[in-house]
Amino acid sequence: MAEEIRNTVILGSGCAGLTAAIYAARANLKPLVLEGHEPGGQLSLTTLVENFPGFPEGIQGPELIENMKQQAMRFGADIESKHLVSADFTERPFTLNFGKENIKARTLIIASGASARWLGLPSEQALIGYGVSSCATCDGFFFSGKEVAVIGGGDSAMEEALFLTRFASKVTIVHRSQNFRASKIMLDRARHHDKISFLTDTIVEEVYDVNKKEVTGLKVRNVKNGHFRDFPTSAMFLGIGHIPNAKMFHGQLDADKDGYLITRDYVLTRVPGVYACGDVQDRRYRQAVTAAGTGCMAAMEAEKFLEEQGR
């Protein structure tokens, strides 16, 4: 039986992937959207989204994703749950391997996102969206006038902490060491800010309080003397970076030192017909609205490419 060849395959079902799907479907490309290991992307872990245009009262993250999904399907997008194992760009159409099956694609839009680094604590995972966050820009506003904690020692942590000073009454940076990976300028900015304090040689062992469905404090341990203590806080922000979901393209597409796909002219990769959009290539903004914007760009580029190929 001959393998089916799809005009456009979209990897990822977050804001970037679903926006690409809406545009590709409306262009009658009949795109196939593959959800991957985090259906809905980062927004599926978010509660109230207040900075996406068009929703003056805000909207729940999962609801926004579901709306986009229904919109894409209305115009003819197919959405399936599959995990990409590898891709072969050496021949056209491209071959995408999903373990037990292959899918052929004339164009590929990579919108596989970047996964936030978490501490891996059960209490932390249970409180994501209830005071545990990996995005100060998204959630800082909800903690106006409150004391919050930021975990990490690199530039990401300093950026999160400095941003949070706009809202929080106090920001404590919790780091496992006295040595910081942050650049000197970022570390100095944080150290000289009157709202920021540091808790070093300390790791988080538990987040309180899962039963109340809100963050009330942290159980922390001093790594030098082993002593435990409770640290009151209203929120815990993770500032330990993100991991772009792009390992399956290693050696075939250009990536930076942290694994983010490198694009030119917004969404073009070095392989004609392969586009990258959203957090898998955006380490700077990482917002739902910017991801949607690049998803639109990728779909329009795919449409243009197929037209030029006579498809």
PDB file of all heavy atoms in Angstrom, residues 249-278:
ATOM      1  N   PHE A 249      15.830  16.617  15.469  1.00  0.00           N
ATOM      2  CA  PHE A 249      16.342  17.233  14.236  1.00  0.00           C
ATOM      3  C   PHE A 249      17.851  17.497  14.298  1.00  0.00           C
ATOM      4  O   PHE A 249      18.396  18.174  13.436  1.00  0.00           O
ATOM      5  CB  PHE A 249      15.603  18.546  13.966  1.00  0.00           C
ATOM      6  CG  PHE A 249      14.116  18.388  13.936  1.00  0.00           C
ATOM      7  CD1 PHE A 249      13.322  18.950  14.923  1.00  0.00           C
ATOM      8  CD2 PHE A 249      13.502  17.651  12.933  1.00  0.00           C
ATOM      9  CE1 PHE A 249      11.944  18.791  14.907  1.00  0.00           C
ATOM     10  CE2 PHE A 249      12.132  17.483  12.905  1.00  0.00           C
ATOM     11  CZ  PHE A 249      11.358  18.052  13.895  1.00  0.00           C
ATOM     12  N   HIS A 250      18.481  16.963  15.335  1.00  0.00           N
ATOM     13  CA  HIS A 250      19.919  17.181  15.516  1.00  0.00           C
ATOM     14  C   HIS A 250      20.699  16.705  14.290  1.00  0.00           C
ATOM     15  O   HIS A 250      20.503  15.598  13.803  1.00  0.00           O
ATOM     16  CB  HIS A 250      20.412  16.421  16.752  1.00  0.00           C
ATOM     17  CG  HIS A 250      21.871  16.602  17.019  1.00  0.00           C
ATOM     18  ND1 HIS A 250      22.401  17.777  17.488  1.00  0.00           N
ATOM     19  CD2 HIS A 250      22.921  15.750  16.861  1.00  0.00           C
ATOM     20  CE1 HIS A 250      23.709  17.654  17.613  1.00  0.00           C
ATOM     21  NE2 HIS A 250      24.048  16.439  17.244  1.00  0.00           N
ATOM     22  N   GLY A 251      21.547  17.578  13.783  1.00  0.00           N
ATOM     23  CA  GLY A 251      22.372  17.232  12.627  1.00  0.00           C
ATOM     24  C   GLY A 251      21.746  17.567  11.293  1.00  0.00           C
ATOM     25  O   GLY A 251      22.433  17.607  10.269  1.00  0.00           O
ATOM     26  N   GLN A 252      20.436  17.802  11.289  1.00  0.00           N
ATOM     27  CA  GLN A 252      19.739  18.126  10.039  1.00  0.00           C
ATOM     28  C   GLN A 252      19.336  19.594   9.954  1.00  0.00           C
ATOM     29  O   GLN A 252      19.255  20.161   8.869  1.00  0.00           O
ATOM     30  CB  GLN A 252      18.500  17.249   9.863  1.00  0.00           C
ATOM     31  CG  GLN A 252      18.814  15.770   9.727  1.00  0.00           C
ATOM     32  CD  GLN A 252      17.642  15.016   9.144  1.00  0.00           C
ATOM     33  OE1 GLN A 252      17.424  15.032   7.934  1.00  0.00           O
ATOM     34  NE2 GLN A 252      16.875  14.371   9.998  1.00  0.00           N
ATOM     35  N   LEU A 253      19.073  20.195  11.117  1.00  0.00           N
ATOM     36  CA  LEU A 253      18.717  21.611  11.156  1.00  0.00           C
ATOM     37  C   LEU A 253      19.678  22.336  12.091  1.00  0.00           C
ATOM     38  O   LEU A 253      20.198  21.749  13.046  1.00  0.00           O
ATOM     39  CB  LEU A 253      17.281  21.789  11.659  1.00  0.00           C
ATOM     40  CG  LEU A 253      16.171  21.163  10.821  1.00  0.00           C
ATOM     41  CD1 LEU A 253      14.821  21.376  11.497  1.00  0.00           C
ATOM     42  CD2 LEU A 253      16.150  21.723   9.405  1.00  0.00           C
ATOM     43  N   ASP A 254      19.922  23.611  11.811  1.00  0.00           N
ATOM     44  CA  ASP A 254      20.819  24.401  12.656  1.00  0.00           C
ATOM     45  C   ASP A 254      20.153  24.725  13.982  1.00  0.00           C
ATOM     46  O   ASP A 254      18.970  25.066  14.032  1.00  0.00           O
ATOM     47  CB  ASP A 254      21.200  25.707  11.949  1.00  0.00           C
ATOM     48  CG  ASP A 254      22.008  25.460  10.682  1.00  0.00           C
ATOM     49  OD1 ASP A 254      22.751  24.462  10.651  1.00  0.00           O
ATOM     50  OD2 ASP A 254      21.897  26.268   9.738  1.00  0.00           O
ATOM     51  N   ALA A 255      20.949  24.622  15.052  1.00  0.00           N
ATOM     52  CA  ALA A 255      20.460  24.944  16.386  1.00  0.00           C
ATOM     53  C   ALA A 255      21.546  25.696  17.146  1.00  0.00           C
ATOM     54  O   ALA A 255      22.739  25.565  16.842  1.00  0.00           O
ATOM     55  CB  ALA A 255      20.064  23.675  17.139  1.00  0.00           C
ATOM     56  N   ASP A 256      21.136  26.471  18.143  1.00  0.00           N
ATOM     57  CA  ASP A 256      22.136  27.172  18.951  1.00  0.00           C
ATOM     58  C   ASP A 256      22.643  26.254  20.047  1.00  0.00           C
ATOM     59  O   ASP A 256      22.263  25.074  20.118  1.00  0.00           O
ATOM     60  CB  ASP A 256      21.581  28.491  19.502  1.00  0.00           C
ATOM     61  CG  ASP A 256      20.479  28.303  20.536  1.00  0.00           C
ATOM     62  OD1 ASP A 256      20.298  27.172  21.052  1.00  0.00           O
ATOM     63  OD2 ASP A 256      19.779  29.288  20.846  1.00  0.00           O
ATOM     64  N   LYS A 257      23.499  26.777  20.918  1.00  0.00           N
ATOM     65  CA  LYS A 257      24.153  25.937  21.929  1.00  0.00           C
ATOM     66  C   LYS A 257      23.172  25.306  22.913  1.00  0.00           C
ATOM     67  O   LYS A 257      23.469  24.270  23.515  1.00  0.00           O
ATOM     68  CB  LYS A 257      25.208  26.743  22.698  1.00  0.00           C
ATOM     69  CG  LYS A 257      24.654  27.928  23.466  1.00  0.00           C
ATOM     70  CD  LYS A 257      25.767  28.697  24.157  1.00  0.00           C
ATOM     71  CE  LYS A 257      25.258  29.944  24.868  1.00  0.00           C
ATOM     72  NZ  LYS A 257      24.283  29.682  25.916  1.00  0.00           N
ATOM     73  N   ASP A 258      21.986  25.902  23.059  1.00  0.00           N
ATOM     74  CA  ASP A 258      20.989  25.359  23.980  1.00  0.00           C
ATOM     75  C   ASP A 258      19.935  24.508  23.284  1.00  0.00           C
ATOM     76  O   ASP A 258      18.998  24.032  23.923  1.00  0.00           O
ATOM     77  CB  ASP A 258      20.313  26.491  24.747  1.00  0.00           C
ATOM     78  CG  ASP A 258      21.287  27.205  25.671  1.00  0.00           C
ATOM     79  OD1 ASP A 258      22.098  26.517  26.315  1.00  0.00           O
ATOM     80  OD2 ASP A 258      21.249  28.448  25.735  1.00  0.00           O
ATOM     81  N   GLY A 259      20.078  24.348  21.960  1.00  0.00           N
ATOM     82  CA  GLY A 259      19.167  23.477  21.234  1.00  0.00           C
ATOM     83  C   GLY A 259      18.005  24.158  20.544  1.00  0.00           C
ATOM     84  O   GLY A 259      17.181  23.484  19.908  1.00  0.00           O
ATOM     85  N   TYR A 260      17.890  25.488  20.649  1.00  0.00           N
ATOM     86  CA  TYR A 260      16.823  26.194  19.945  1.00  0.00           C
ATOM     87  C   TYR A 260      17.123  26.214  18.453  1.00  0.00           C
ATOM     88  O   TYR A 260      18.264  26.485  18.037  1.00  0.00           O
ATOM     89  CB  TYR A 260      16.694  27.635  20.446  1.00  0.00           C
ATOM     90  CG  TYR A 260      16.097  27.753  21.821  1.00  0.00           C
ATOM     91  CD1 TYR A 260      16.908  27.711  22.953  1.00  0.00           C
ATOM     92  CD2 TYR A 260      14.725  27.896  21.997  1.00  0.00           C
ATOM     93  CE1 TYR A 260      16.364  27.814  24.231  1.00  0.00           C
ATOM     94  CE2 TYR A 260      14.170  28.006  23.263  1.00  0.00           C
ATOM     95  CZ  TYR A 260      14.992  27.958  24.378  1.00  0.00           C
ATOM     96  OH  TYR A 260      14.448  28.051  25.629  1.00  0.00           O
ATOM     97  N   LEU A 261      16.115  25.932  17.633  1.00  0.00           N
ATOM     98  CA  LEU A 261      16.311  25.931  16.186  1.00  0.00           C
ATOM     99  C   LEU A 261      16.582  27.344  15.692  1.00  0.00           C
ATOM    100  O   LEU A 261      15.929  28.303  16.116  1.00  0.00           O
ATOM    101  CB  LEU A 261      15.083  25.356  15.480  1.00  0.00           C
ATOM    102  CG  LEU A 261      14.796  23.874  15.739  1.00  0.00           C
ATOM    103  CD1 LEU A 261      13.559  23.429  14.959  1.00  0.00           C
ATOM    104  CD2 LEU A 261      15.997  22.993  15.369  1.00  0.00           C
ATOM    105  N   ILE A 262      17.557  27.460  14.812  1.00  0.00           N
ATOM    106  CA  ILE A 262      17.929  28.755  14.250  1.00  0.00           C
ATOM    107  C   ILE A 262      17.164  28.964  12.946  1.00  0.00           C
ATOM    108  O   ILE A 262      17.196  28.112  12.058  1.00  0.00           O
ATOM    109  CB  ILE A 262      19.449  28.827  14.003  1.00  0.00           C
ATOM    110  CG1 ILE A 262      20.204  28.740  15.336  1.00  0.00           C
ATOM    111  CG2 ILE A 262      19.816  30.116  13.264  1.00  0.00           C
ATOM    112  CD1 ILE A 262      21.706  28.616  15.185  1.00  0.00           C
ATOM    113  N   THR A 263      16.469  30.094  12.862  1.00  0.00           N
ATOM    114  CA  THR A 263      15.709  30.414  11.657  1.00  0.00           C
ATOM    115  C   THR A 263      16.219  31.714  11.054  1.00  0.00           C
ATOM    116  O   THR A 263      16.839  32.527  11.739  1.00  0.00           O
ATOM    117  CB  THR A 263      14.210  30.558  11.964  1.00  0.00           C
ATOM    118  OG1 THR A 263      14.038  31.520  13.024  1.00  0.00           O
ATOM    119  CG2 THR A 263      13.608  29.234  12.399  1.00  0.00           C
ATOM    120  N   ARG A 264      15.945  31.900   9.782  1.00  0.00           N
ATOM    121  CA  ARG A 264      16.239  33.168   9.105  1.00  0.00           C
ATOM    122  C   ARG A 264      14.937  33.651   8.460  1.00  0.00           C
ATOM    123  O   ARG A 264      14.029  32.851   8.203  1.00  0.00           O
ATOM    124  CB  ARG A 264      17.339  32.991   8.053  1.00  0.00           C
ATOM    125  CG  ARG A 264      17.023  31.966   6.996  1.00  0.00           C
ATOM    126  CD  ARG A 264      18.141  31.808   5.978  1.00  0.00           C
ATOM    127  NE  ARG A 264      17.838  30.749   5.029  1.00  0.00           N
ATOM    128  CZ  ARG A 264      17.068  30.886   3.970  1.00  0.00           C
ATOM    129  NH1 ARG A 264      16.506  32.059   3.727  1.00  0.00           N
ATOM    130  NH2 ARG A 264      16.846  29.874   3.160  1.00  0.00           N
ATOM    131  N   ASP A 265      14.859  34.938   8.206  1.00  0.00           N
ATOM    132  CA  ASP A 265      13.621  35.516   7.678  1.00  0.00           C
ATOM    133  C   ASP A 265      12.415  35.036   8.485  1.00  0.00           C
ATOM    134  O   ASP A 265      11.426  34.545   7.942  1.00  0.00           O
ATOM    135  CB  ASP A 265      13.446  35.180   6.190  1.00  0.00           C
ATOM    136  CG  ASP A 265      14.522  35.826   5.334  1.00  0.00           C
ATOM    137  OD1 ASP A 265      15.062  36.869   5.756  1.00  0.00           O
ATOM    138  OD2 ASP A 265      14.827  35.293   4.266  1.00  0.00           O
ATOM    139  N   TYR A 266      12.551  35.096   9.783  1.00  0.00           N
ATOM    140  CA  TYR A 266      11.504  34.767  10.763  1.00  0.00           C
ATOM    141  C   TYR A 266      11.338  33.266  11.013  1.00  0.00           C
ATOM    142  O   TYR A 266      11.526  32.802  12.133  1.00  0.00           O
ATOM    143  CB  TYR A 266      10.146  35.374  10.358  1.00  0.00           C
ATOM    144  CG  TYR A 266      10.203  36.871  10.206  1.00  0.00           C
ATOM    145  CD1 TYR A 266      10.174  37.458   8.949  1.00  0.00           C
ATOM    146  CD2 TYR A 266      10.296  37.703  11.325  1.00  0.00           C
ATOM    147  CE1 TYR A 266      10.242  38.844   8.811  1.00  0.00           C
ATOM    148  CE2 TYR A 266      10.370  39.082  11.196  1.00  0.00           C
ATOM    149  CZ  TYR A 266      10.345  39.652   9.930  1.00  0.00           C
ATOM    150  OH  TYR A 266      10.425  41.003   9.798  1.00  0.00           O
ATOM    151  N   VAL A 267      10.977  32.467   9.996  1.00  0.00           N
ATOM    152  CA  VAL A 267      10.602  31.074  10.281  1.00  0.00           C
ATOM    153  C   VAL A 267      11.282  30.050   9.366  1.00  0.00           C
ATOM    154  O   VAL A 267      11.008  28.857   9.463  1.00  0.00           O
ATOM    155  CB  VAL A 267       9.065  30.876  10.202  1.00  0.00           C
ATOM    156  CG1 VAL A 267       8.356  31.660  11.305  1.00  0.00           C
ATOM    157  CG2 VAL A 267       8.536  31.267   8.824  1.00  0.00           C
ATOM    158  N   LEU A 268      12.166  30.498   8.471  1.00  0.00           N
ATOM    159  CA  LEU A 268      12.784  29.572   7.521  1.00  0.00           C
ATOM    160  C   LEU A 268      13.975  28.849   8.150  1.00  0.00           C
ATOM    161  O   LEU A 268      14.819  29.480   8.799  1.00  0.00           O
ATOM    162  CB  LEU A 268      13.270  30.323   6.270  1.00  0.00           C
ATOM    163  CG  LEU A 268      12.249  30.591   5.156  1.00  0.00           C
ATOM    164  CD1 LEU A 268      11.105  31.465   5.657  1.00  0.00           C
ATOM    165  CD2 LEU A 268      12.935  31.247   3.965  1.00  0.00           C
ATOM    166  N   THR A 269      14.037  27.532   7.976  1.00  0.00           N
ATOM    167  CA  THR A 269      15.212  26.775   8.381  1.00  0.00           C
ATOM    168  C   THR A 269      16.119  26.627   7.157  1.00  0.00           C
ATOM    169  O   THR A 269      15.814  27.128   6.080  1.00  0.00           O
ATOM    170  CB  THR A 269      14.833  25.375   8.899  1.00  0.00           C
ATOM    171  OG1 THR A 269      14.381  24.562   7.800  1.00  0.00           O
ATOM    172  CG2 THR A 269      13.744  25.453   9.963  1.00  0.00           C
ATOM    173  N   ARG A 270      17.219  25.909   7.341  1.00  0.00           N
ATOM    174  CA  ARG A 270      18.145  25.745   6.216  1.00  0.00           C
ATOM    175  C   ARG A 270      17.618  24.767   5.165  1.00  0.00           C
ATOM    176  O   ARG A 270      18.171  24.661   4.077  1.00  0.00           O
ATOM    177  CB  ARG A 270      19.513  25.295   6.707  1.00  0.00           C
ATOM    178  CG  ARG A 270      19.605  23.855   7.160  1.00  0.00           C
ATOM    179  CD  ARG A 270      21.009  23.536   7.626  1.00  0.00           C
ATOM    180  NE  ARG A 270      21.197  22.112   7.896  1.00  0.00           N
ATOM    181  CZ  ARG A 270      22.267  21.615   8.502  1.00  0.00           C
ATOM    182  NH1 ARG A 270      23.227  22.417   8.895  1.00  0.00           N
ATOM    183  NH2 ARG A 270      22.371  20.324   8.717  1.00  0.00           N
ATOM    184  N   VAL A 271      16.539  24.023   5.501  1.00  0.00           N
ATOM    185  CA  VAL A 271      15.946  23.074   4.555  1.00  0.00           C
ATOM    186  C   VAL A 271      14.705  23.709   3.938  1.00  0.00           C
ATOM    187  O   VAL A 271      13.732  23.982   4.659  1.00  0.00           O
ATOM    188  CB  VAL A 271      15.577  21.748   5.247  1.00  0.00           C
ATOM    189  CG1 VAL A 271      14.912  20.791   4.254  1.00  0.00           C
ATOM    190  CG2 VAL A 271      16.809  21.098   5.873  1.00  0.00           C
ATOM    191  N   PRO A 272      14.686  23.965   2.635  1.00  0.00           N
ATOM    192  CA  PRO A 272      13.490  24.516   2.000  1.00  0.00           C
ATOM    193  C   PRO A 272      12.271  23.619   2.247  1.00  0.00           C
ATOM    194  O   PRO A 272      12.351  22.397   2.111  1.00  0.00           O
ATOM    195  CB  PRO A 272      13.855  24.543   0.506  1.00  0.00           C
ATOM    196  CG  PRO A 272      15.357  24.612   0.495  1.00  0.00           C
ATOM    197  CD  PRO A 272      15.794  23.786   1.669  1.00  0.00           C
ATOM    198  N   GLY A 273      11.170  24.240   2.656  1.00  0.00           N
ATOM    199  CA  GLY A 273       9.963  23.468   2.940  1.00  0.00           C
ATOM    200  C   GLY A 273       9.826  23.053   4.390  1.00  0.00           C
ATOM    201  O   GLY A 273       8.813  22.477   4.778  1.00  0.00           O
ATOM    202  N   VAL A 274      10.841  23.360   5.201  1.00  0.00           N
ATOM    203  CA  VAL A 274      10.776  23.076   6.643  1.00  0.00           C
ATOM    204  C   VAL A 274      10.835  24.404   7.397  1.00  0.00           C
ATOM    205  O   VAL A 274      11.749  25.204   7.184  1.00  0.00           O
ATOM    206  CB  VAL A 274      11.930  22.159   7.103  1.00  0.00           C
ATOM    207  CG1 VAL A 274      11.864  21.935   8.620  1.00  0.00           C
ATOM    208  CG2 VAL A 274      11.872  20.827   6.382  1.00  0.00           C
ATOM    209  N   TYR A 275       9.847  24.624   8.256  1.00  0.00           N
ATOM    210  CA  TYR A 275       9.728  25.897   8.968  1.00  0.00           C
ATOM    211  C   TYR A 275       9.654  25.634  10.470  1.00  0.00           C
ATOM    212  O   TYR A 275       9.172  24.595  10.910  1.00  0.00           O
ATOM    213  CB  TYR A 275       8.478  26.643   8.491  1.00  0.00           C
ATOM    214  CG  TYR A 275       8.415  26.690   6.985  1.00  0.00           C
ATOM    215  CD1 TYR A 275       7.667  25.747   6.269  1.00  0.00           C
ATOM    216  CD2 TYR A 275       9.155  27.622   6.273  1.00  0.00           C
ATOM    217  CE1 TYR A 275       7.656  25.751   4.882  1.00  0.00           C
ATOM    218  CE2 TYR A 275       9.160  27.633   4.881  1.00  0.00           C
ATOM    219  CZ  TYR A 275       8.408  26.698   4.191  1.00  0.00           C
ATOM    220  OH  TYR A 275       8.417  26.675   2.819  1.00  0.00           O
ATOM    221  N   ALA A 276      10.139  26.578  11.240  1.00  0.00           N
ATOM    222  CA  ALA A 276      10.089  26.461  12.697  1.00  0.00           C
ATOM    223  C   ALA A 276       9.437  27.712  13.270  1.00  0.00           C
ATOM    224  O   ALA A 276       9.735  28.836  12.846  1.00  0.00           O
ATOM    225  CB  ALA A 276      11.490  26.276  13.270  1.00  0.00           C
ATOM    226  N   CYS A 277       8.542  27.532  14.227  1.00  0.00           N
ATOM    227  CA  CYS A 277       7.818  28.666  14.801  1.00  0.00           C
ATOM    228  C   CYS A 277       7.553  28.403  16.280  1.00  0.00           C
ATOM    229  O   CYS A 277       7.611  27.274  16.756  1.00  0.00           O
ATOM    230  CB  CYS A 277       6.512  28.903  14.052  1.00  0.00           C
ATOM    231  SG  CYS A 277       5.425  27.466  13.966  1.00  0.00           S
ATOM    232  N   GLY A 278       7.248  29.483  17.000  1.00  0.00           N
ATOM    233  CA  GLY A 278       6.948  29.346  18.423  1.00  0.00           C
ATOM    234  C   GLY A 278       8.186  29.135  19.271  1.00  0.00           C
ATOM    235  O   GLY A 278       9.310  29.466  18.879  1.00  0.00           O
TER     236      GLY A 278
END
